């Protein structure tokens, strides 16, 4: 953390998903913030199975917490931000064969996004930044399409904020004004290690730190690592029955290695 970062904690475990969003504000407070030039932040997740130990809302909890952190960091730099309540009826391709993985047609998601973005623009918001907590390629392509369609030149400009690896995987040209690449980070699954991409060490650690009250922590120790290769990951990403065959218990990684201290 930078030396000049706020000394107060950036998050408190157990914060509700709608905390600090415009859903908790009056319309007058939102109107005043937009008049001051506030930008908007929007998290995109899904309701999707996350193994025997994590809630189906994991992909909503994590990006929502990140936006609350981002809001505080932006405020420290003098930038006011409003958080839009999270979008969680998204595209589920990989986990489609599992119960409680709600599936929405991409075209429906794009149209709904466009309507919401247009509404925000009508309220005076000029810049909107969208982040995703769900790794499904189809879901993220849909977010980008919605950002493109919803943007209204001269009224509101929206951007999808993601790392360059994700943009490359979903075929998005990073020169687009609607694609904002983050600073490249180390690959969480470097060559020579098994894949850990869904309800494994990384996501379980984050959920233990951010919202431990919804984690079935008593089940974690009994979950063996999946130890799946890159070829297995490619098969899993085909989705539906392919994914359920590769990961019958719904997780891909090593949740038993998780720790709330490694967030």
């Amino acid at each position: 953390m930078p030396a000049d970062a706020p000394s107060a904690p950036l998050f408190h475990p157990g914060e509700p998903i709608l905390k600090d969003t415009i859903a908790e504000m009056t319309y007058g407070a939102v109107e005043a913030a937009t008049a001051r030039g506030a930008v908007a932040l929007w998290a995109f997740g899904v309701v999707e199975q996350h193994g025997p130990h994590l809630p189906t809302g994991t992909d909503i909890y994590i990006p929502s917490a990140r936006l609350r952190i981002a809001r505080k960091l932006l405020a420290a730099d003098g930038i006011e931000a409003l958080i839009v309540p999270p979008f969680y009826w998204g595209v589920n391709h990989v986990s489609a064969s599992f119960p409680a993985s709600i599936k929405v047609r991409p075209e429906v998601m794009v149209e709904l996004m466009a309507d919401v973005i247009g509404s925000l623009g009508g309220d005076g918001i000029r810049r909107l930044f969208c982040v995703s907590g769900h790794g499904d390629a189809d879901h993220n392509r849909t977010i980008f399409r919605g950002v493109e369609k919803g943007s209204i030149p001269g009224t509101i400009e929206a951007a999808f904020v993601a790392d360059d690896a994700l943009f490359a995987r979903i075929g998005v040209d990073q020169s687009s004004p609607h694609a904002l690449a983050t600073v490249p980070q180390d690959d969480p699954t470097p060559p020579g290690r098994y894949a850990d991409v869904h309800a494994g060490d990384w996501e379980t650690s984050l959920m233990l730190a951010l919202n431990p009250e919804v984690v079935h922590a008593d089940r974690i120790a009994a979950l063996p690592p999946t130890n799946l290769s890159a070829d297995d990951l490619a098969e899993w990403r085909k989705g539906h029955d392919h994914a359920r065959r590769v990961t019958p218990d719904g997780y891909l990684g090593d949740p038993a290695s998780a720790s709330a201290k490694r967030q």
Side-chain angles (χ1 to χ4, degrees):
M1 182 177 294
D4 57 351
S7 58
L10 291 172
F11 71 89
H12 298 279
E15 290 181 328
I17 288 175
L18 294 182
K19 181 177 175 60
D20 294 331
T21 72
I22 59 174
E24 291 189 335
M25 301 170 65
T26 65
Y27 82 88
V30 174
E31 187 175 47
T34 59
R36 292 190 295 268
V39 302
L41 312 175
W42 199 5
F44 285 77
V46 292
V47 176
E48 173 198 37
Q49 72 79 22
H50 270 75
H53 59 301
L54 294 182
T56 59
T58 292
D59 288 348
I60 311 165
Y61 280 102
I62 292 174
S64 295
R66 284 177 162 171
L67 289 191
R68 292 196 298 272
I69 293 171
R71 181 172 178 261
K72 292 180 180 181
L73 293 174
L74 287 169
D77 286 336
I79 301 171
E80 187 172 7
L82 296 171
I83 300 177
V84 180
F87 188 108
Y88 48 84
W89 301 123
V91 178
N92 266 317
H93 171 73
V94 174
S95 287
S97 290
F98 286 88
S101 296
I102 308 299
K103 295 165 281 293
V104 170
R105 287 168 289 155
E107 60 270 25
V108 171
M109 182 172 165
V110 168
E111 292 299 330
L112 180 54
M113 284 183 64
D115 283 354
V116 173
I117 294 171
S119 294
L120 295 172
D123 289 340
I125 293 173
R126 298 292 169 254
R127 294 289 293 171
L128 170 68
F129 300 94
C130 302
V131 301
S132 177
H134 180 44
D136 194 302
D138 287 346
H139 177 79
N140 289 295
R141 289 190 193 100
T142 304
I143 293 174
F144 185 73
R145 287 173 52 204
V147 160
E148 284 186 309
K149 182 163 187 176
S151 293
I152 306 170
T155 298
I156 183 169
E157 295 291 343
F160 183 18
V161 183
D163 61 57
D164 53 0
L166 177 60
F167 283 138
R169 185 158 66 88
I170 65 176
V172 167
D173 183 354
Q174 294 184 40
S175 67
S176 166
H178 304 294
L180 181 58
T182 58
V183 176
Q185 297 181 2
D186 293 337
D187 187 341
T189 310
R193 292 187 58 189
Y194 295 115
D196 189 296
V197 298
H198 184 72
D201 182 351
W202 179 77
E203 281 192 310
T204 304
S205 293
L206 280 172
M207 288 300 292
L208 286 171
L210 298 170
N211 291 93
E213 76 286 357
V214 296
V215 176
H216 294 277
D218 57 319
R219 302 176 184 175
I220 295 174
L223 300 176
T226 54
N227 290 347
L228 297 177
S229 67
D231 289 342
D232 293 321
L233 177 60
E235 179 70 12
W236 178 79
R237 281 179 168 160
K238 292 179 181 177
H240 295 264
D241 293 340
H242 297 275
R244 192 151 193 183
R245 183 168 57 251
V246 173
T247 57
D249 293 317
Y251 68 94
L252 200 165
D254 186 11
S257 294
S259 169
K261 296 179 180 179
R262 189 170 59 259
Q263 18 177 312

